[in-house]
Amino acid sequence: MNTTDTLSMPLTAVAPGRWTTLAEPEWSNPGGGLWGGYAIGLCIRVLEAEPVAVGEALSLTLTYAAGLPAGLLDIRTRRLRQGGSSGVWEVEILPAGSDQVGVHSMVTLARRPQTPDFAFAKMPDAPDPESIPEPQPWGDGQHYGASAFDRRTLEGFPPQPGGDSRSLAWVRSRRGPLDKALLGMITDNSAPRVMYALGPTVMTTTLSLTAYLHATVEEIAAVGDDFILVECEGRVGGGGASDERSSYWRRDGKLLATSEQLAWYRQVARTAPE
């Protein structure tokens, strides 16, 4: 067996396409179960370690089929197709020893060619993150990725019912320089948009999340330990489902990633995080 240390995601290869890892309790949500962003990072990390994978993560879609507990996890990887420039992989994450898939992911890996750049999107105006004091943790400060990321909100936090779901925040890694896996994890670091309509006590869980990692490994590495700007908004909710879309910007205006998320919600009374 071969074990690889990947920023608190130790991966042990046990057979071709089979891995194990230990998910520490710090990656759990207050209500139980692992934070969804952890699974995003883990899917990227395991394909970075996969010896026959070619290229870097370009996009991934995760379906959260069932909650995953902290502790030992099994991971299954399978290459579905490999072309000249891109390949498609399937990643499944399960509780150790179980056949119950918790998270299923389809990941596109690609060799990134040299092509002319263009951009239609524009980064929102925002003050420097250094001018914003580091806030007191909202909820349990060791959950929802708080132990991995420093988040400084400009607007829209904490979530309150109203007519606007937009939030803007500077976020940086506490776990070393930004890379593909950490950027992927940030795509699930914002409060659920349903809370901006119904309040923070609503019950909600992610059904599916798609992240598009537009930037190359080198463009992300240029961020280093700096902040990136996260712009997030919801558009609609009803029948138990609500949406969310987000953009992730480097300080110089480079759009690094975008994401789309569908969440399931119930208006059930419970105690808000303290």
Side-chain angles (χ1 to χ4, degrees):
M1 294 190 296
N2 179 41
T3 300
T4 304
D5 185 10
T6 55
L7 289 177
S8 297
M9 292 181 180
L11 291 165
T12 300
V14 296
R18 298 292 184 269
W19 307 77
T20 62
T21 191
L22 175 63
E24 299 289 350
E26 66 192 64
W27 297 116
S28 297
N29 286 329
L34 291 174
W35 168 51
Y38 171 84
I40 298 171
L42 184 59
C43 288
I44 296 173
R45 284 273 185 259
V46 74
L47 291 181
E48 290 175 342
E50 176 61 61
V52 298
V54 177
E56 61 186 74
L58 180 62
S59 70
L60 65 164
T61 297
L62 287 83
T63 299
Y64 295 86
L68 286 170
L72 290 173
L73 301 175
D74 290 336
I75 310 164
R76 303 192 296 222
T77 59
R78 183 165 69 106
R79 184 173 62 188
L80 302 182
R81 181 187 182 277
Q82 182 61 55
S85 297
S86 64
V88 180
W89 284 76
E90 181 180 49
V91 180
E92 296 176 325
I93 307 173
L94 313 86
S98 172
D99 289 329
Q100 176 67 58
V101 175
V103 174
H104 175 272
S105 179
M106 298 294 292
V107 185
T108 299
L109 301 180
R111 296 187 179 99
R112 306 298 296 273
Q114 292 291 327
T115 56
D117 293 342
F118 65 92
F120 299 112
K122 183 180 178 182
M123 178 178 172
D125 293 330
D128 289 340
E130 291 83 4
S131 67
I132 305 167
E134 185 172 358
Q136 293 297 314
W138 181 73
D140 188 324
Q142 297 305 307
H143 296 288
Y144 293 128
S147 66
F149 301 107
D150 175 2
R151 184 180 183 91
R152 304 193 185 186
T153 301
L154 299 165
E155 60 181 74
F157 194 85
Q160 297 294 334
D164 189 357
S165 70
R166 182 175 182 264
S167 64
L168 201 61
W170 288 105
V171 178
R172 69 176 171 186
S173 168
R174 301 185 192 270
R175 298 293 180 101
L178 193 69
D179 61 12
K180 282 265 181 175
L182 289 167
L183 177 59
M185 294 171 77
I186 292 174
T187 64
D188 195 39
N189 189 238
S190 298
R193 296 300 104 173
V194 65
M195 293 183 177
Y196 292 80
L198 303 178
T201 61
V202 68
M203 300 288 289
T204 181
T205 186
T206 300
L207 292 178
S208 66
L209 186 150
T210 297
Y212 302 103
L213 305 177
H214 307 296
T216 64
V217 167
E218 294 77 16
E219 289 168 336
I220 296 171
V223 175
D225 295 311
D226 199 7
F227 287 90
I228 64 172
L229 187 66
V230 179
E231 180 185 22
C232 185
E233 66 176 347
R235 288 163 294 192
V236 68
S242 66
D243 84 321
E244 174 186 311
R245 62 180 177 184
S246 302
S247 299
Y248 307 85
W249 308 84
R250 201 167 63 187
R251 196 191 289 244
D252 63 1
K254 171 72 177 178
L255 183 61
L256 301 175
T258 54
S259 67
E260 290 274 350
Q261 184 173 161
L262 185 71
W264 191 248
Y265 70 91
R266 284 285 185 268
Q267 196 171 8
V268 178
R270 67 180 177 92
T271 302
E274 296 179 356

